[in-house]
Amino acid sequence: MQLDKIVAYHKALADPTRIKILILLAEGELNGQVLAEKLFVTPATITHHAAKLRAASLIHERREKNTIYFSLNHYFINAYGTATANIIYKNATRLPEGEDHPMEDRNQKLKQSVLSNFFTSAGRLQHIPAQLKKKLIVLEHMISGLEQGRSYTEKEINEFIKQYHDDFATIRREFIMHQFMSRENGIYTMNPPEMWMKWETLN
């Protein structure tokens, strides 16, 4: 399923007009009429390509009266690009030439420090970290308690989270937001680790 999403991401990019739309939107939000004028195409053409980009989660849409404005979904553009590289290299015995090797010892020490500071001896989460890097470490630790390939109802996910923290709604959203889980028709599944937002790459 997640591989399908990555394929959909690249299919959405496999068109010169859609690439041009994304390049223009990198400068900021624009409406369909302006995009059409800049690209010398009809508004209907913009609508068609915008639908493809939106389906792949590459853009946001905002309606103001009768005008639709488009903007980039920066998170997913970066996340799926990174996920592609992670999947390609995940079983490689060596990194691409010129790449630095990960600082495994340093990362392991940071992980242990975060888990020690934010979880009680009984395994309860004291509070959700505000810093993204620490939050991802906490979420990664929690998600490891679920089974890969199993489907969960929202109630089951809530009960699982409540073992760690009472604010299950917030943590459930964080799982989705940072690509630890996917939700479809009220059913939750774990994403492959290659899709998870990586705390190791953050400063």
Side-chain angles (χ1 to χ4, degrees):
M1 177 179 176
Q2 295 310 312
L3 186 58
D4 290 344
K5 289 186 177 181
I6 292 176
V7 171
Y9 163 82
H10 287 284
K11 283 183 177 179
L13 295 177
D15 183 277
T17 299
R18 293 199 280 274
I19 292 289
K20 291 175 184 177
I21 290 173
L22 294 176
I23 291 171
L24 290 173
L25 293 179
E27 297 297 322
E29 185 181 65
L30 294 171
N31 64 50
Q33 183 64 43
V34 171
L35 286 169
E37 291 172 358
K38 287 180 176 292
L39 296 176
F40 302 101
V41 298
T42 65
T45 298
I46 295 297
T47 299
H48 167 76
H49 288 298
K52 299 285 187 181
L53 293 171
R54 185 181 64 251
S57 300
L58 298 184
I59 62 171
H60 298 296
E61 289 187 4
R62 176 179 68 84
R63 180 179 291 275
E64 188 173 301
K65 296 183 179 179
N66 295 323
T67 303
I68 297 177
Y69 290 86
F70 304 101
S71 60
L72 293 184
N73 186 338
H74 298 284
Y75 176 80
F76 277 101
I77 289 174
N78 286 293
Y80 281 116
T82 300
T84 302
N86 287 340
I87 286 178
I88 291 171
Y89 292 115
K90 68 176 180 178
N91 292 322
T93 57
R94 53 180 293 183
L95 294 173
E97 188 174 348
E99 291 286 337
D100 293 331
H101 289 278
M103 301 177 65
E104 294 181 2
D105 290 343
R106 181 177 176 183
N107 285 340
Q108 188 62 29
K109 288 179 181 177
L110 173 62
K111 182 177 180 178
Q112 291 301 323
S113 174
V114 170
L115 297 181
S116 175
N117 289 333
F118 283 90
F119 287 90
T120 68
S121 58
R124 293 279 296 175
L125 178 63
Q126 299 185 72
H127 62 272
I128 302 170
Q131 184 185 34
L132 178 58
K133 191 168 190 174
K134 293 178 180 179
K135 183 190 297 182
L136 292 174
I137 292 173
V138 164
L139 294 174
E140 181 181 279
H141 173 74
M142 293 171 63
I143 203 75
S144 64
L146 294 175
E147 296 178 30
Q148 190 76 48
R150 177 181 166 185
S151 297
Y152 295 88
T153 64
E154 187 167 292
K155 181 179 179 181
E156 288 175 322
I157 292 298
N158 293 344
E159 290 301 319
F160 168 77
I161 294 172
K162 282 195 286 186
Q163 298 176 81
Y164 297 95
H165 196 275
D166 291 334
D167 191 357
F168 56 85
T170 295
I171 294 176
R172 191 182 67 232
R173 286 194 298 270
E174 296 283 355
F175 280 157
I176 299 296
M177 185 184 308
H178 299 298
Q179 292 292 295
F180 290 96
M181 301 197 81
S182 291
R183 177 182 59 212
E184 189 170 349
N185 298 323
I187 298 298
Y188 293 73
T189 54
M190 273 183 71
N191 288 335
E194 297 80 26
M195 293 293 298
W196 299 355
M197 187 172 180
K198 302 298 182 183
W199 58 267
E200 297 93 336
T201 63
L202 300 177
N203 293 326

